[in-house]
Amino acid sequence: MNELVQDLAPAGRRRPPLQTLGDWMRRQRSAIQALQWTVVVFYLALLIWPALLPLPREYAHFYENLVLFAQFVFWGLWWPFVILSMLLLGRVWCGVFCPEGALSEWASRHGRGGAIPRWMRWGGWPFTAFVLTTVYGQLISVYEYPRAALLILGGSTIVAMAVGFFYGRGKRVWCRHLCPVNGVFSLLARLAPVHFRVDAAAWRRAPRRTPAVDCAPLVNISGMTGASACHMCGRCSGHRNAVTLSARSPNREILSLGDNAASRWDALLLTVGLLGVATGAFQWSASPWFVQLKQGLAEWLIERDIYWPLGDGAPWWLLTHYPETNDVFTWLDGGVILLYIGATTLVIGGALLLALRLAGRLLGQRTMPWRLAYGLTPLAGISLFLGLSALTLSLLKAERLDLSWAPGLRAALLAVAVLWTGRLLWGLLGAGGNGAVFRRRALAWLCLMAAAGLVVGSWVAMFYYW
Ligand code: SF4
């Protein structure tokens, strides 16, 4: 493809650094592949090896015990900072580092090359896969135990490779359609201040016959207008003199979203999945309401001589079961976890959907204004980062590090989430208007912000009161 790529800057003018970086990524494909295989080796070692070792004694440090080290790397560093990287850099993680994507693409290069079946193209997979994985992970304590991590992450990697083997020719069909975090990443990447920009006029001006770019996640590059589907691998940089790595306003992609481009599944993933299910999943273990609910139900069962829910005979792959560390879930524990996450989802997700409906009515729309939900993306991203980094901080606390800065940082992140979400929602509600229109917009904005306030309130309760 190199012969099709020319210096986009007129002679004598320096190319912008980002454009140079994008083109450099295109030229460094072998180096990127080498990096991906290094990550694969590291990932598999940290996933499989700790699962074969005994659980650590209580007073072990993460830097002297492989089980704790893997826990720290996977859940303390990897996940929170991958989420942060989506907001700052787009999906560079997917295109340059992700071991599962690399393995799926590799399997696809050596597989059967089948057509993508219709069921796989169902738009609800990102929502469904995220919710199921999140809830299941809580039931088997995926953040704490290496066997649980091996089951969920390793199982997902095997399925990713199988999908790669059967479908697509050297493509990432898994990443595009089934990966449980694809939907989350595609939402958060919309806020990234960098993206591969496609100049439609330059694309049309280029010679008609140019070999197609080997875009692994199957992006329609000529029609690409945002960063949500792009894995930022750099392979198309400079293609037809039209694709350049560029800076942009983090608000631009969401504010320019048309009604037709808004997806109901994206909106449900934001409101019900990320702000409902995930919030409940992050908070149940710290909640005094969870303990009260469990105790109340246990007493109620005992008074009626119903004892089987208090049994703890479930296998570890169904409910947490580690007698050696006195960590064993009863059926009641499992049921109350589901109940707590379900109730959180109902309250927060329900309030957000209701607020969307009200906002739509205030704007005179009969249908659900799914587009407005995208304004909640900063809150969802920062909420996810706060939830995942809570584990990072508890691991660092166990090492007796000074964390006196953490409450201030959390408050600052929550403030950014509120301000950024408020700004996006205001923009999405539409500018201008006379007095009555303005009042309706303001009321719609207040409805949405009040519902978003439930999420902020839940984090404030967890970080500062519980
Ligand atoms: S559009 Fe495809 S080829 Fe281009 S950077 Fe994104 S993922 Fe890579």
Side-chain angles (χ1 to χ4, degrees):
M1 193 182 99
N2 279 347
E3 67 277 7
L4 299 168
V5 176
Q6 298 151 29
D7 188 341
L8 299 187
R13 207 187 294 168
R14 279 170 62 99
R15 291 191 307 167
L18 277 178
Q19 184 182 347
T20 308
L21 176 65
D23 292 349
W24 180 82
M25 287 175 74
R26 185 196 69 241
R27 289 193 301 272
Q28 300 302 322
R29 186 158 171 195
S30 309
I32 289 175
Q33 281 172 334
L35 181 63
Q36 283 171 337
W37 285 110
T38 310
V39 178
V40 166
V41 172
F42 195 60
Y43 165 74
L44 292 179
L46 283 184
L47 193 60
I48 298 169
W49 198 353
L52 307 173
L53 298 174
L55 291 172
R57 57 189 198 282
E58 249 177 46
Y59 46 86
H61 296 285
F62 78 85
Y63 50 81
E64 62 182 13
N65 180 285
L66 189 64
V67 174
L68 292 176
F69 178 73
Q71 183 193 22
F72 186 70
V73 170
F74 275 131
W75 308 113
L77 296 178
W78 175 20
W79 275 107
F81 289 98
V82 164
I83 293 297
L84 200 60
S85 77
M86 294 295 149
L87 296 169
L88 299 175
L89 304 169
R91 302 180 67 168
V92 174
W93 164 263
C94 301
V96 177
F97 299 99
C98 178
E100 199 161 285
L103 284 168
S104 188
E105 188 179 337
W106 175 79
S108 184
R109 288 195 192 287
H110 300 88
R112 300 213 174 151
I116 303 170
R118 229 176 115 184
W119 64 265
M120 211 181 273
R121 296 177 188 270
W122 179 52
W125 283 125
F127 171 80
T128 310
F130 175 78
V131 169
L132 291 180
T133 316
T134 303
V135 174
Y136 183 49
Q138 293 305 305
L139 294 178
I140 64 170
S141 298
V142 68
Y143 298 154
E144 276 89 32
Y145 296 104
R147 259 192 293 173
L150 178 60
L151 180 63
I152 290 193
L153 297 178
S156 159
T157 302
I158 288 171
V159 180
M161 291 182 71
V163 168
F165 182 80
F166 286 109
Y167 306 109
R169 290 178 193 278
K171 300 298 178 200
R172 297 189 177 196
V173 175
W174 163 262
C175 308
R176 165 96 191 194
H177 294 289
L178 296 177
C179 170
V181 282
N182 171 43
V184 179
F185 290 172
S186 78
L187 282 168
L188 302 188
R190 289 177 189 272
L191 296 173
V194 286
H195 73 139
F196 278 97
R197 184 176 61 82
V198 180
D199 180 337
W203 185 284
R204 283 193 298 273
R205 277 198 306 274
R208 281 212 170 272
R209 290 176 65 81
T210 50
V213 176
D214 178 20
C215 174
L218 298 154
V219 178
N220 170 19
I221 301 172
S222 64
M224 182 166 72
T225 53
S228 62
C230 168
H231 284 198
M232 302 286 282
C233 67
R235 293 181 204 175
C236 64
S237 186
H239 187 62
R240 293 175 73 93
N241 271 353
V243 187
T244 43
L245 184 60
S246 313
R248 63 176 184 174
S249 157
N251 295 342
R252 196 171 78 199
E253 186 167 342
I254 288 182
L255 289 181
S256 60
L257 195 76
D259 274 332
N260 291 342
S263 146
R264 175 174 50 125
W265 286 114
D266 275 352
L268 287 175
L269 181 57
L270 275 163
T271 52
V272 177
L274 288 170
L275 294 171
V277 174
T279 304
F282 285 131
Q283 296 182 356
W284 68 265
S285 59
S287 169
W289 300 331
F290 175 84
V291 178
Q292 284 164 11
L293 183 63
K294 199 174 82 170
Q295 279 174 351
L297 280 173
E299 283 166 18
W300 187 86
L301 289 167
I302 290 167
E303 278 166 15
R304 282 156 187 78
D305 288 334
I306 304 171
Y307 293 103
W308 69 262
L310 306 177
D312 59 9
W316 68 268
W317 45 266
L318 197 58
L319 285 177
T320 301
H321 190 89
Y322 299 91
E324 61 272 43
T325 56
N326 288 324
D327 193 3
V328 176
F329 283 4
T330 62
W331 296 104
L332 179 64
D333 287 323
V336 179
I337 291 171
L338 292 179
L339 207 61
Y340 191 93
I341 296 176
T344 311
T345 306
L346 207 63
V347 172
I348 294 179
L352 287 167
L353 290 176
L354 190 65
L356 278 176
R357 168 62 79 194
L358 280 172
R361 285 284 156 92
L362 284 163
L363 296 180
Q365 291 185 17
R366 284 176 178 273
T367 53
M368 193 74 162
W370 296 118
R371 180 174 156 269
L372 294 179
Y374 289 83
L376 299 163
T377 309
L379 179 62
I382 290 176
S383 186
L384 213 50
F385 178 75
L386 286 171
L388 290 164
S389 61
L391 183 78
T392 317
L393 293 180
S394 68
L395 291 171
L396 293 177
K397 197 172 170 186
E399 298 297 329
R400 300 188 190 285
L401 292 181
D402 175 24
L403 299 178
S404 53
W405 46 268
L409 182 61
R410 282 168 162 166
L413 285 172
L414 282 171
V416 170
V418 171
L419 292 172
W420 196 353
T421 292
R423 163 73 188 92
L424 277 180
L425 286 172
W426 188 251
L428 284 166
L429 284 162
N434 59 30
V437 172
F438 179 82
R439 275 195 296 279
R440 281 169 173 254
R441 277 184 60 206
L443 210 53
W445 183 83
L446 282 174
C447 285
L448 289 162
M449 289 305 284
L454 288 175
V455 182
V456 179
S458 74
W459 286 117
V460 170
M462 178 169 153
F463 292 145
Y464 304 102
Y465 293 104
W466 290 349

